[in-house]
Amino acid sequence: MRQLTVEAQEFPIAGSFRISRETRTVARVVCATITDGTVTGRGEGVPYPRYGESVEGVMADIEAMADAVAGGLDPDGLRSAMKHGAARNAIDGALIDLACKSKGVRAAELLGIDAKPVTTAFTLSIGEPAEMAEAAANAAHRPLLKVKLGLKEGDRERIAAVRGAAPKATIIIDANEGWGPDQLVANMEACAAAGVSLIEQPMPADADQMLAEVAHPVPICADESVHDAKDLAALKGRYDAINIKLDKAGGLTEALVMHEAARTLGFKVMIGCMVGTSLGMAPAIFAAQGADFVDLDGPLLLAEDRTPGLTYDGSVVHPPEPALWG
């Protein structure tokens, strides 16, 4: 009989990670483990307070599924049995990993996805323009930068400072819901002038109607406004792209459904992440195949990752080895 266990774990962040609403120095993750007595599968979820999640709550939600997992629950059944979020993501990852190890196959074969290495964004925390320019200069060799903004004042100066320090990089701006109606148009124009390629979640998810009423000089990507596939249709007219994160979607199983549905609806696709370890990023690499933008840099932001972890060649991240996941 299969047994499900759960553990909270912490991994230090290199320095600090600052966005418009918080600063973090540690990544708090939850690891779900499923064993059948012979092999073991693992999955990771990152509880996110913005969505009403806590480490304790996610652990409780995982533990509540122990009987169903013991009874043979599979990823498709899990998708129906649990709400989206970090708890379902951790179990989904553990179930897929367990299936790979039980069958003696790689995730690529199990999923029918020929996974290739992908180029990930590297994230710059928000700060004063001079600080962000220094950080951008240090990362200017990377082909894709994701820049955190959203402090109401000074974002146009931050955009210009980063572009000046990294003139060749493709830039994604992530405001984390931090812009109000008074900043939106001017900040988007500043992004366009700086050659920004994507603006992620400029306005709060519950107040983003204005996005349907203004020009989009740069494509706008939904993050906090989208969780799983059922959210997609309502985003038409407000957004040009969606950010699929396994912790929002509730696992790779849902993320693959979302990716296909988003393409059908005409959205560009970004595959993103919370700040987590290589175990959390590994399944997302399979969702990232064919994506327009990839942001799976969580392990690059940590002072200490899992061993073994994913292999990063600069900004190129390779599919996982079975010792990690899949």
Side-chain angles (χ1 to χ4, degrees):
M1 180 180 291
R2 298 188 304 186
Q3 182 179 8
L4 170 66
T5 57
V6 60
E7 180 183 4
Q9 300 170 335
E10 293 188 353
F11 293 82
I13 292 172
S16 64
F17 181 76
R18 186 186 183 196
I19 64 174
S20 60
R21 54 177 168 259
E22 64 175 334
T23 299
R24 279 176 278 167
T25 58
V26 64
R28 295 179 174 87
V29 308
V30 173
C31 183
T33 301
I34 304 173
T35 182
D36 64 4
T38 302
V39 295
T40 298
R42 299 184 302 162
E44 178 181 293
V46 182
Y48 203 50
R50 167 64 180 80
Y51 304 131
E53 294 180 331
S54 66
V55 169
E56 296 76 14
V58 167
M59 292 180 70
D61 288 345
I62 292 172
E63 290 168 345
M65 298 302 296
D67 287 345
V69 169
L73 185 71
D74 64 11
D76 287 331
L78 176 70
R79 185 169 172 249
S80 301
M82 288 188 80
K83 64 181 180 181
H84 59 73
R88 194 173 80 184
N89 180 31
I91 299 176
D92 182 78
L95 286 172
I96 296 172
D97 190 31
L98 181 72
C100 289
K101 291 177 169 57
S102 296
K103 298 175 186 295
V105 300
R106 302 285 290 264
E109 182 178 349
L110 183 78
L111 299 168
I113 298 172
D114 185 18
K116 303 293 186 184
V118 294
T119 298
T120 178
F122 182 77
T123 302
L124 305 182
S125 293
I126 194 169
E128 293 304 312
E131 296 173 317
M132 297 188 73
E134 181 179 1
N138 292 334
H141 61 286
R142 295 184 179 273
L144 179 61
L145 299 179
K146 179 170 175 175
V147 180
K148 294 290 187 177
L149 297 179
L151 289 184
K152 302 293 187 186
E153 300 299 328
D155 275 354
R156 282 174 285 176
E157 291 77 12
R158 294 182 179 93
I159 294 165
V162 168
R163 173 49 83 199
K168 296 182 179 179
T170 298
I171 292 178
I172 300 167
I173 294 297
D174 185 4
N176 282 115
E177 304 181 280
W179 294 349
D182 294 340
Q183 295 90 34
L184 178 65
V185 173
N187 285 349
M188 288 198 300
E189 290 174 350
C191 286
V196 168
S197 296
L198 193 71
I199 299 172
E200 193 177 341
Q201 199 67 43
M203 303 187 75
D206 60 358
D208 62 0
Q209 297 85 353
M210 184 178 175
L211 297 178
E213 303 167 3
V214 298
H216 293 191
V218 176
I220 299 178
C221 179
D223 182 4
E224 286 85 350
S225 288
V226 60
H227 293 265
D228 57 14
K230 64 177 172 42
D231 296 332
L232 294 175
L235 302 178
K236 293 292 292 181
R238 284 178 287 164
Y239 294 96
D240 310 292
I242 64 162
N243 186 345
I244 301 172
K245 295 178 179 175
L246 270 60
D247 279 304
K248 291 188 304 172
L252 175 60
T253 303
E254 177 72 25
L256 294 174
V257 172
M258 287 185 71
H259 194 151
E260 183 177 354
R263 292 299 190 193
T264 299
L265 290 168
F267 290 109
K268 291 181 178 294
V269 172
M270 178 178 182
I271 303 297
C273 67
M274 307 301 186
V275 182
T277 77
S278 284
L279 179 59
M281 305 304 116
I285 291 175
F286 294 88
Q289 301 301 308
D292 299 286
F293 301 94
V294 177
D295 176 27
L296 297 177
D297 66 341
L300 297 178
L301 305 177
L302 299 179
E304 178 183 339
D305 189 18
R306 297 183 188 275
T307 303
L310 289 170
T311 297
Y312 287 84
D313 293 329
S315 291
V316 175
V317 55
H318 294 261
E321 294 297 322
L324 171 65
W325 184 88

